[in-house]
Amino acid sequence: VEQGVKETESDPQVRTVGFGGYTDNKGIVTLDACIMDHKNNAGAVAYLKNIKHPISVARKVMESSKHVMLAGSGAYNFAIKHGFKKHNMLSKQSKNDWLKWKEDSKNIPDDNHDTITQLALDINGNLAGACSTSGLAYKLKGRVGDSPIIGSGLFVDNNVGAAGATGIGEEIMKNVGSFLIVELMKQGYNPDKACREAVRRIIQKYTGEIKFQVAFIALRKDG
Ligand code: GLY
């Protein structure tokens, strides 16, 4: 899952993950990511700057520290200490788009938020998941979404299944969406029904037109 997510993190055409992602309101690309394995190990980074593969730093946090999540300069310093190189994450396109948005805040792209979440079941029947994003376009400086939050952007229970999210992180976080889906699968919901129920619980709180998007993927232990 780390290797899969790295592909998307490297792709400047994907404007909401890794290099070439949309910036925050100050013109800076900040990254959130998390990873979980079949042994309930987890690692995450939030508000990470200037590192090309946040998912690899999340894995390093999981495997080489006693913590689950590092944020901001602490996450950056940890990455540098473990051999990651400083990398300018601002593509020309992202800078130009940010300048246009500063001129007129109506210049906001349709694809202004998204995430790569990858779930996998290996040949031994073990599950893993990884999640990475540059977050909401032109977010307030310091904003962190659901993607690095274990249980919100991603959850893996090797006895049951795995789930991951994309969409407006604020909505996903308030419902701990990925954990909810795995718990529902534990209670017997199939993956499709569990995802639908997680979406229903979010939208039921609103009346009228829903003006945001959330989506989930789920994988059950039996594949
Ligand atoms: N789901 C990505 C974010 O809201 O940051």
Side-chain angles (χ1 to χ4, degrees):
V1 290
E2 179 198 5
Q3 293 304 320
V5 164
K6 277 174 79 172
E7 287 291 311
T8 310
E9 286 180 341
S10 298
D11 186 348
Q13 304 305 323
V14 181
R15 304 300 314 282
T16 51
V17 177
F19 179 70
Y22 292 115
T23 70
D24 67 7
N25 62 343
K26 301 291 182 198
I28 296 166
V29 177
T30 69
L31 306 160
D32 298 335
C34 76
I35 193 162
M36 253 187 120
D37 74 6
H38 62 293
K39 292 183 177 161
N40 196 238
N41 295 312
V45 288
Y47 197 66
L48 177 64
K49 291 186 257 185
N50 294 318
I51 295 286
K52 193 165 180 201
H53 290 299
I55 197 61
S56 299
V57 185
R59 182 173 181 179
K60 206 61 176 169
V61 172
M62 176 173 82
E63 293 180 342
S64 304
S65 84
K66 58 182 180 183
H67 305 302
V68 168
M69 182 189 277
L70 293 177
S73 59
Y76 176 78
N77 292 341
F78 174 88
I80 296 297
K81 196 174 151 211
H82 284 86
F84 291 83
K85 298 277 173 268
K86 184 172 183 179
H87 191 92
N88 177 19
M89 298 301 283
L90 187 67
S91 68
K92 223 172 170 181
Q93 180 75 53
S94 293
K95 188 173 178 185
N96 289 342
D97 288 345
W98 172 66
L99 291 171
K100 275 190 214 146
W101 173 79
K102 274 223 310 181
E103 258 169 41
D104 182 351
S105 62
K106 283 203 280 298
N107 285 330
I108 191 138
D110 286 339
D111 63 337
N112 58 30
H113 64 277
D114 216 338
T115 307
I116 169 79
T117 301
Q118 192 163 96
L119 309 175
L121 179 68
D122 76 8
I123 199 166
N124 300 312
N126 288 322
L127 290 159
C131 179
S132 182
T133 188
S134 53
L136 205 58
Y138 317 127
K139 59 194 174 185
L140 215 56
K141 182 181 177 197
R143 183 262 190 193
V144 169
D146 61 306
S147 300
I149 314 281
I150 299 296
S152 287
L154 176 75
F155 195 69
V156 176
D157 178 335
N158 204 45
N159 294 318
V160 180
T166 176
I168 295 295
E170 284 71 9
E171 297 298 333
I172 297 160
M173 274 192 268
K174 286 188 284 183
N175 289 273
V176 201
S178 295
F179 179 75
L180 172 65
I181 288 166
V182 174
E183 278 302 300
L184 290 170
M185 289 196 287
K186 200 174 193 172
Q187 290 169 28
Y189 281 62
N190 70 36
D192 178 65
K193 267 191 136 177
C195 290
R196 284 173 191 278
E197 175 61 10
V199 173
R200 193 193 65 78
R201 291 208 195 172
I202 292 171
I203 60 178
Q204 71 170 358
K205 295 181 286 182
Y206 296 91
T207 50
E209 192 191 349
I210 304 279
K211 294 211 167 110
F212 59 84
Q213 179 262 340
V214 294
F216 296 99
I217 55 171
L219 173 63
R220 203 169 53 193
K221 178 77 179 164
D222 62 359

